[in-house]
Amino acid sequence: MLQRALRHGLIGLLLMTPALAAPSAEQRGKAFAKANCARCHAIDRASRSPLEGAPPLRTLHRRYPIETLGEALAEGIYTGHADMPAFELSPDQIHDLLSYLKTLE
């Protein structure tokens, strides 16, 4: 009886482990920002942007409500700044990045 209970408990833990190890939307959003934005923008709460004039991501909510950025990200971000690449994000990438940006408010 005890062996059976232990076996079921172990199986339950093994089934839960991948879910516990999966990165959250915020973590995926931070990874996206690090890979695609950090070359120019500060992506955390304290550091300076590597490119002078590039606003830190933590200040975006002062210019735009974060919830409203989803449509712009889906349609593509295009700026007049030569160093800012034009890009479009998938719905999952948008969700993840917006989730991360909300943590910086």
Side-chain angles (χ1 to χ4, degrees):
M1 183 70 151
L2 180 59
Q3 283 182 328
R4 185 176 178 173
L6 289 173
R7 188 177 323 129
H8 287 291
L10 180 59
I11 290 170
L13 285 173
L14 290 173
L15 292 175
M16 284 190 336
T17 301
L20 296 174
S24 67
E26 292 86 3
Q27 291 167 326
R28 291 188 306 269
K30 183 176 183 178
F32 180 89
K34 186 175 184 179
N36 295 282
C37 310
R39 185 185 70 162
C40 300
H41 299 271
I43 64 164
D44 59 20
R45 293 178 188 227
S47 64
R48 293 177 52 156
S49 292
L51 181 64
E52 187 176 330
L57 296 187
R58 66 180 171 272
T59 66
L60 287 180
H61 73 277
R62 294 180 193 158
R63 296 179 183 196
Y64 316 98
I66 297 302
E67 299 81 17
T68 65
L69 294 177
E71 186 175 335
L73 292 170
E75 292 175 0
I77 299 292
Y78 302 94
T79 69
H81 194 278
D83 290 332
M84 177 75 178
F87 59 92
E88 293 180 31
L89 283 74
S90 73
D92 288 340
Q93 290 171 320
I94 292 168
H95 171 73
D96 294 347
L97 184 58
L98 294 182
S99 294
Y100 177 61
L101 292 176
K102 292 290 285 179
T103 70
L104 298 177
E105 289 183 344

